[in-house]
């Protein structure tokens, strides 16, 4: 149990490092993995649980020409949703010579008007998640804030504390969407954004 907690702390550290490097100037560096490491990460994330092969592994180091400290592992697509591939991804971190990976998450692509958005539906039905994001991206603004600006890859989704709510987290933005819609002639919009904030 102590070992599991330790791995969680290690992964949390590397996840925080990854987020900070991808959102600010990228302070991490490309790193090489041995063939054995690649096979281990492929088996851990894609093979053992899902029976899939790896599509790509992006290994990064916190110092130039250093050993890989963490790696984003992406499995080959196993299905399609609305014409876009669905695949599993996971973040793995190294502690000494040991690699440990977080639970693989489902990821897909949502085509928006001008770009493509990477989305992890989480506890939301994937089709409902995709259609919700496409719909709210067309709304323009919520209380003067640009919804399009907030929808930046990668967006994580989850069901809210009521069955009609979906929570969306995209980089520095949090959005709550409700499917409880008292529609009027002035505002027939549903689902509707009921909360949005930058953090």
């Amino acid at each position: 149990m102590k070992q599991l907690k330790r791995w969680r702390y290690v992964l949390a550290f590397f996840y925080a490092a990854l987020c900070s490097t991808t959102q600010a100037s990228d302070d991490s560096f490309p790193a090489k993995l041995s063939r054995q490491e690649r096979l281990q990460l492929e088996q851990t994330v894609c093979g053992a649980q899902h029976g899939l092969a790896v599509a790509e592994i992006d290994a990064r180091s916190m110092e130039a020409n250093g050993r890989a400290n963490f790696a984003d592992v992406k499995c080959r697509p196993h299905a399609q949703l609305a014409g876009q591939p669905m695949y599993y991804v996971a973040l793995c971190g190294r502690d000494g010579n040991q690699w440990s990976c977080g639970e693989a998450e489902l990821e897909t692509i949502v085509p928006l008007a001008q770009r493509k958005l990477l989305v992890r539906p989480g506890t939301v039905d994937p089709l409902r998640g995709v259609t919700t994001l496409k719909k709210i991206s067309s709304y323009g603004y919520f209380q003067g804030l640009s919804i399009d600006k907030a929808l930046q890859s990668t967006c994580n989704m989850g069901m809210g504390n009521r069955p009609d709510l979906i929570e969306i987290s995209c980089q520095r933005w949090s959005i709550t969407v409700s499917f409880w819609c008292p529609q009027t002639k002035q505002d027939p919009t549903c689902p509707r954004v009921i909360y949005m904030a930058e953090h």
Side-chain angles (χ1 to χ4, degrees), residues 41-124:
L41 294 177
E42 176 179 35
Q43 180 62 14
T44 301
V45 176
C46 306
Q49 193 169 2
H50 304 292
L52 299 168
V54 73
E56 60 185 72
I57 300 176
D58 180 21
R60 311 291 290 181
S61 173
M62 299 308 288
E63 54 189 49
N65 302 314
R67 273 176 87 188
N69 298 113
F70 54 91
D72 268 322
V73 181
K74 177 180 173 181
C75 304
R76 288 189 182 163
H78 60 277
Q80 285 209 338
L81 178 64
Q84 297 297 324
M86 294 179 72
Y87 48 88
Y88 290 102
V89 295
L91 179 66
C92 300
R94 184 209 296 271
D95 182 20
N97 291 320
Q98 297 289 329
W99 281 94
S100 181
C101 300
E103 187 175 342
E105 295 181 80
L106 190 64
E107 185 174 277
T108 190
I109 301 165
V110 178
L112 301 180
Q114 303 294 326
R115 60 198 164 83
K116 292 183 176 180
L117 180 68
L118 295 178
V119 177
R120 296 179 185 173
T123 55
V124 177

